[in-house]
Amino acid sequence: MPNERLRDALLRNGLALEQVAEAVGVDQKTVERWITKNRTPYPKHRHKIAAMARESETYLWPDSVAPERKAETAAAEVVQVFPHRHAVPVELWDRMIKDASETVEVLVQAALFLVERPRFIKDLSAKASAGAHVRLLFGDPEGDSVALRSAEEQLGDGTLAARIRNALASYRPLIGVDGVEMRFHDTTLYNSIFRFDDEMIVNTHVYGIQGAHAPTLHLRRLSAGDLFETYSESFESVWNLAKPATF
């Protein structure tokens, strides 16, 4: 079975087989076999290819890393654990938003706290204009999942849907901006995800507890890690189920 993940990653980054072969010091046919026959490169080659393709080793070659090493690397991907989302320092949010240049991905219900930042929308627009890919996923205010979540958090009927609509009003300037995509999801929100390039804030959700008071992880992606990639794949799954946002 071909390694479609590797093929896609190389194509997405405009990397020809001969470029990869030259960069890692192997024959072009060897690179072809890595794709068409799903052969696994040596570790030194995997490191270089993963860096070139801007993907993790565990994503490109899921079976290449021993379970023990995956567990150790996953622990190393956790930069810090916060007891509550509101305990995440303002300076950390500011730095991640400022430093992101390639990927911004947000999976939330409303996340009004983000648009309370005076420059957040302008920063997203500027980053998209500079070539970053910005993808934003909001809870569908008409969806069943939002209604259920509002009840579970004891917010009152329609409260969460109203919060989402309030937040969306702030995102209107991003409509039609090249590089910015916005969708509605109607999935169970197990975690809110905020990705800025190779860093991520994961706001876990606890039944009956509002997101601001739930535990939160600060992750930094490592090439051989599996934790960051797990949340990234979760975002992708929700994105594929979502529909274009309507304002």
Side-chain angles (χ1 to χ4, degrees):
M1 182 177 178
N3 189 334
E4 297 297 344
R5 289 186 176 186
L6 177 57
R7 189 200 307 275
D8 176 73
L10 297 182
L11 288 172
R12 192 174 351 107
N13 287 281
L15 297 170
L17 299 185
E18 54 267 28
Q19 288 178 272
V20 178
E22 182 178 352
V24 300
V26 299
D27 187 86
Q28 183 175 328
K29 290 189 179 299
T30 299
V31 180
E32 290 178 359
R33 285 193 289 271
W34 290 341
I35 297 173
T36 60
K37 298 186 181 299
N38 201 10
R39 301 279 176 82
T40 301
Y42 290 123
K44 64 179 181 180
H45 296 150
R46 293 201 303 267
H47 300 334
K48 188 135 193 177
I49 295 168
M52 293 172 66
R54 300 178 183 180
E55 291 290 355
S56 68
E57 287 183 57
T58 52
Y59 173 78
L60 296 174
W61 303 282
D63 299 325
S64 65
V65 181
E68 297 80 9
R69 188 184 172 209
K70 280 186 179 181
E72 292 171 357
T73 309
E77 286 187 295
V78 180
V79 179
Q80 192 168 355
V81 178
F82 299 95
H84 316 290
R85 192 195 68 214
H86 62 69
V88 178
V90 171
E91 295 78 14
L92 176 57
W93 287 108
D94 288 343
R95 182 188 62 73
M96 289 192 300
I97 294 168
K98 177 179 176 292
D99 291 350
S101 61
E102 298 176 357
T103 303
V104 176
E105 294 175 341
V106 175
L107 168 60
V108 294
Q109 297 286 25
L112 268 169
F113 76 96
L114 283 178
V115 294
E116 290 170 353
R117 315 181 76 78
R119 288 201 49 83
F120 183 65
I121 301 301
K122 291 181 180 178
D123 285 342
L124 291 185
S125 181
K127 290 181 183 301
S129 297
H133 190 189
V134 178
R135 296 194 293 174
L136 309 173
L137 275 166
F138 307 100
D140 184 348
E142 303 294 334
D144 293 336
S145 294
V146 165
L148 178 61
R149 185 55 174 269
S150 192
E152 289 176 345
E153 293 188 357
Q154 302 177 24
L155 297 175
D157 187 32
T159 301
L160 183 53
R163 284 186 183 177
I164 294 170
R165 293 189 181 95
N166 287 342
L168 291 174
S170 299
Y171 286 92
R172 287 185 183 278
L174 296 177
I175 297 174
V177 173
D178 287 342
V180 176
E181 297 180 80
M182 294 181 279
R183 294 185 182 182
F184 283 163
H185 69 88
D186 192 25
T187 57
T188 302
L189 191 67
Y190 295 103
N191 304 277
S192 291
I193 296 173
F194 309 88
R195 177 183 177 182
F196 303 95
D197 287 350
D198 289 337
E199 290 189 77
M200 183 183 289
I201 297 292
V202 178
N203 183 190
T204 66
H205 291 296
V206 181
Y207 184 87
I209 303 295
Q210 294 186 33
H213 303 292
T216 299
L217 308 175
H218 174 204
L219 307 180
R220 190 186 300 272
R221 184 184 196 178
L222 297 177
S223 178
D226 208 21
L227 187 57
F228 186 103
E229 196 59 45
T230 295
Y231 288 110
S232 183
E233 289 184 12
S234 175
F235 177 94
E236 201 67 39
S237 296
V238 178
W239 182 263
N240 292 334
L241 292 170
K243 63 183 182 181
T246 53
F247 289 77

